[in-house]
Amino acid sequence: SQTIHQWPATLVQPVGSPLSLECTVEGTSNPNLYWYRQAAGRGLQLLFYSVGIGQISSEVPQNLSASRPQDRQFILSSKKLLLSDSGFYLCACQRGGGTETQYFGPGTRLLVL
Amino acid sequence: AQSVSQHNHHVILSEAASLELGCNYSYGGTVNLFWYVQYPGQHLQLLLKYFSGDPLVKGIKGFEAEFIKSKFSFNLRKPSVQWSDTAEYFCALETGGFKTIFGAGTRLFVKA
């Protein structure tokens, strides 16, 4: 079964600094990959998804970007962090669309000060 | 646009009480529906899913959900909750593409 790794687990960054969160997947090939932000009382907000290497779809225009340099690697980035970027970021993978289950990583808690 | 509504943000129950968590969605076509659960300190994981066939779906740990198309609902139920069911529960909708829309979540606390 799929295993999703995310690092770092926790990150404290100053406003205006860059960001790079990494997600890697084991146990499957050519997965669909997702970045979500989870906020208390607001559920999971889909930020980006990717159906293949170099293919990124953005759901919410904002200060973040994503890249997929390899089949099982998904990176969330920012050039300059804002206070509002603080949150809990989850990476997920899915073998196909539709009825397939999404598998989630442990998440990264980001605090921007 | 598709959306998912979970009516109860916080639910507190005593052990052995019955549970029903509401989930309604907004979409007029064919849907795939999911319930995910996040136990304290653990990853989000699938509880159950519906994509066709019997509208009453059974999942892990004694949970079940019923898809009622006419009501656009997919409520989660368990006849008798346990302390270990304390978790956050998310209803989710997928409409045939690659995106899954999640509800805001319901935090369940079960008193021992």
Side-chain angles (χ1 to χ4, degrees):
Chain A
S1 64
Q2 298 93 324
T3 302
I4 298 107
H5 301 281
Q6 287 186 245
W7 62 90
T10 306
L11 188 61
V12 181
Q13 291 285 95
V15 169
S17 64
L19 172 75
S20 181
L21 302 182
E22 190 162 343
C23 169
T24 57
V25 179
E26 293 178 1
T28 187
S29 59
N30 196 31
N32 299 329
L33 297 174
Y34 303 82
W35 278 111
Y36 293 91
R37 179 162 53 203
Q38 185 179 8
R42 295 176 60 186
L44 275 67
Q45 179 188 30
L46 178 63
L47 302 176
F48 301 94
Y49 68 93
S50 170
V51 300
I53 295 173
Q55 300 179 57
I56 307 294
S57 296
S58 174
E59 286 299 299
V60 184
Q62 54 194 321
N63 188 42
L64 301 170
S65 61
S67 62
R68 185 171 178 176
Q70 300 180 44
D71 181 45
R72 288 173 286 180
Q73 185 184 28
F74 203 26
I75 297 172
L76 184 68
S77 304
S78 174
K79 291 183 179 177
K80 287 186 178 182
L81 282 168
L82 306 172
L83 287 174
S84 57
D85 292 325
S86 293
F88 190 60
Y89 291 85
L90 284 169
C91 179
C93 80
Q94 185 183 43
R95 284 188 296 183
T99 63
E100 294 292 329
T101 301
Q102 290 199 9
Y103 294 88
F104 289 83
T108 294
R109 189 163 301 281
L110 171 66
L111 180 60
V112 182
L113 300 174
Chain B
Q2 302 99 316
S3 65
V4 177
S5 297
Q6 292 182 242
H7 315 298
N8 308 102
H9 295 299
H10 295 91
V11 174
I12 302 174
L13 295 173
S14 297
E15 273 195 315
S18 64
L19 170 72
E20 180 159 4
L21 301 182
C23 173
N24 285 89
Y25 65 91
S26 173
Y27 185 71
T30 302
V31 296
N32 300 311
L33 294 159
F34 305 79
W35 277 97
Y36 286 86
V37 61
Q38 187 170 30
Y39 296 104
Q42 296 188 27
H43 303 190
L44 263 168
Q45 59 185 283
L46 181 72
L47 199 56
L48 49 79
K49 63 182 178 182
Y50 167 82
F51 53 92
S52 67
D54 190 344
L56 184 62
V57 180
K58 296 192 184 298
I60 61 172
K61 303 187 179 185
F63 285 91
E64 64 179 31
E66 185 175 12
F67 170 54
I68 303 179
K69 189 174 181 179
S70 61
K71 294 185 178 180
F72 298 91
S73 71
F74 190 54
N75 293 352
L76 181 70
R77 300 194 292 249
K78 186 171 183 178
S80 176
V81 294
Q82 300 172 319
W83 177 79
S84 57
D85 294 324
T86 295
E88 189 162 15
Y89 294 81
F90 294 91
C91 183
L93 165 72
E94 197 281 334
T95 59
F98 300 106
K99 298 187 296 184
T100 300
I101 309 299
F102 285 81
T106 298
R107 291 194 175 191
L108 171 66
F109 181 73
V110 180
K111 297 184 290 185

